[in-house]
Amino acid sequence: MAALPYWRLSSFYLFYFALLGSTAPFLALYFDHLGFNAARIGELVAIPMLMRCVAPNIWGWLGDYTGRRLAIVRFGAICTLLTFSLIFIDQSYAWLALVMALHAFFWHAVLPQFEVITLAHLSGQTSRYSQIRLWGSIGFIITVVVLGRLFEWLSLDIYPVALVLIMGGIVLASFWVPNAQPTQGPRVAGEGFLRQLRNPGVLAFYGCVGLMQVSHGPYYTFLTLHLEGLGYSRGLIGMLWAIGVVAEVLIFLLMSRILARFSVRRVLLVSFLLAALRWLLLGSLAEFLWVLLFAQVLHAATFGSFHAAAIHFVQRSFGPRQQGQGQALYAALAGMGGALGALYSGYSWNALGASWTFSIASLAAFAAAVIIATRMQEDRP
């Protein structure tokens, strides 16, 4: 990759998704450790996702308007660290809700702008994106395995310290990355963001992004607690999370070939159908280890192929001047869906149980598959 700052870009993804690897499997577990019930856990987990509905659009507009995307990334990383550190002051429900909201407002400013910088460095070679993004998956894997073992040996009281250390890594990586700007073509009449948003299939795609994240609600909020209830150890649970992300890494390595052979529409459709299957397996048959292993391998589709195809779709659907807003809307719709998923699963977990909660998730993913099949036009691979 001549002239591409591969390791600098990759280091940022490594630390950024290491933070996700420390929150997705263990944040609900930490709140459970503090004594909160399922409904309160769902609310606290939903708050950062709700902020994801607002923050990326504000920062995306600012990035497109000023062009200073790397400055926004660095500012967001520093403020994420500082605001999350407020967790050491108090751990009441109201204070934790404030901490979740504040740090998420800045954390969700970071990735959409960094995606634009990465694609600018790639200079049209978007098929190489997965080769950089896979280091985020590696960071996720390292974190879930290490923290899973660590929490078997030590108290969950050390959890906030681990997150602060990872956030420090994000800050350092953001200052190592060189800047890059998307190529600015001539401004043409009617090239605005809203006009491009009305292009065929674009609104259907964004609606399906929200549904996919709704379907992930019980997975990201309660999978660890669900598996603990079935008798799995925290170390094994960390390994199971890691298996899912290993499958994600492998699919990222293949995505350039897959997207060269198959259309984005077909990749998205298969991803949604496999997501519907995965949630049914996790909700009803997770007590069987072989079924659980297969369900985790399906993470290659429910996140890996879906995300890579989605980034490709957003990049080709918007002009250079609207890239930041396009990525921000993708993050915002994902955040809105994730928040709704966390909230509904928090309220239904005790009332309906794991099986019905995951069945609702399966229906959301299947609905997205139907929309993609009927509303998105077939594109050339």
Side-chain angles (χ1 to χ4, degrees):
M1 288 190 177
L4 178 68
Y6 179 82
W7 292 111
R8 298 188 185 193
L9 295 169
S10 299
S11 69
F12 184 87
Y13 284 103
L14 179 80
F15 282 107
Y16 186 92
F17 286 95
L19 182 58
L20 183 61
S22 63
T23 54
F26 302 116
L27 187 61
L29 187 65
Y30 178 66
F31 291 146
D32 180 70
H33 171 72
L34 295 179
F36 296 109
N37 62 32
R40 292 292 174 265
I41 292 172
E43 291 164 0
L44 288 170
V45 171
I47 289 171
M49 298 180 183
L50 285 170
M51 294 307 297
R52 193 178 176 187
C53 305
V54 178
N57 290 302
I58 295 173
W59 295 108
W61 173 85
L62 187 63
D64 285 341
Y65 181 76
T66 65
R68 302 188 64 184
R69 293 185 174 87
L70 188 56
I72 291 173
V73 168
R74 291 168 175 170
F75 178 75
I78 293 171
C79 290
T80 299
L81 173 61
L82 294 177
T83 52
F84 184 82
S85 298
L86 297 173
I87 199 171
F88 296 108
I89 296 176
D90 188 22
Q91 293 179 334
S92 65
Y93 174 79
W95 187 258
L96 287 173
L98 178 64
V99 171
M100 292 296 103
L102 286 176
H103 96 275
F105 179 77
F106 295 105
W107 185 30
H108 293 314
V110 170
L111 186 60
Q113 301 308 307
F114 195 80
E115 298 277 38
V116 177
I117 294 170
T118 298
L119 292 170
H121 276 295
L122 288 170
S123 188
Q125 303 174 72
T126 53
S127 61
R128 286 180 159 182
Y129 167 81
S130 297
Q131 299 171 21
I132 296 173
R133 172 60 182 79
L134 70 85
W135 284 97
S137 303
I138 292 172
F140 190 105
I141 292 168
I142 294 171
T143 306
V144 295
V145 172
V146 171
L147 290 185
R149 291 297 182 186
L150 194 63
F151 295 149
E152 282 190 339
W153 303 330
L154 302 173
S155 169
L156 275 163
D157 291 332
I158 68 166
Y159 179 69
V161 177
L163 264 64
V164 165
L165 291 175
I166 295 170
M167 289 174 184
I170 296 174
V171 173
L172 293 176
S174 72
F175 281 90
W176 193 34
V177 173
N179 198 12
Q181 295 286 355
T183 303
Q184 297 289 334
R187 186 181 296 273
V188 297
E191 72 161 5
F193 177 71
L194 292 179
R195 183 181 180 89
Q196 293 178 30
L197 193 61
R198 291 194 296 269
N199 287 336
V202 176
L203 288 176
F205 162 78
Y206 277 114
C208 291
V209 168
L211 284 171
M212 184 61 128
Q213 296 310 311
V214 167
S215 80
H216 277 74
Y219 175 73
Y220 284 128
T221 309
F222 289 110
L223 180 67
T224 298
L225 292 173
H226 178 47
L227 297 183
E228 270 202 329
L230 293 175
Y232 295 97
S233 69
R234 289 177 181 173
L236 180 56
I237 291 170
M239 292 294 294
L240 288 166
W241 278 90
I243 287 170
V245 187
V246 168
E248 172 191 313
V249 170
L250 295 177
I251 202 70
F252 275 142
L253 291 172
L254 297 173
M255 279 310 297
S256 60
R257 297 180 183 178
I258 292 173
L259 288 173
R261 184 172 181 180
F262 300 101
S263 67
V264 169
R265 177 178 177 270
R266 292 187 182 184
V267 173
L268 289 173
L269 179 59
V270 171
S271 299
F272 288 128
L273 291 173
L274 291 177
L277 172 63
R278 186 187 186 195
W279 308 140
L280 288 177
L281 295 177
L282 287 177
S284 302
L285 299 170
E287 64 269 24
F288 301 105
L289 182 59
W290 69 271
V291 174
L292 186 56
L293 289 171
F294 175 68
Q296 287 303 91
V297 169
L298 290 180
H299 194 71
T302 63
F303 181 82
S305 62
F306 165 75
H307 178 69
I311 290 293
H312 188 81
F313 182 86
V314 172
Q315 194 272 337
R316 79 171 191 204
S317 297
F318 295 95
R321 298 179 186 274
Q322 289 78 35
Q323 283 292 307
Q325 293 174 79
Q327 295 290 349
L329 184 60
Y330 172 65
L333 266 295
M336 183 180 297
L340 291 174
L343 286 172
Y344 98 75
S345 60
Y347 294 126
S348 70
W349 195 257
N350 289 336
L352 301 177
S355 180
W356 276 105
T357 301
F358 274 106
S359 294
I360 296 170
S362 180
L363 285 174
F366 185 75
V370 171
I371 293 172
I372 287 295
T374 59
R375 303 299 297 173
M376 181 178 283
Q377 296 179 344
E378 187 66 48
D379 54 301
R380 293 181 180 180

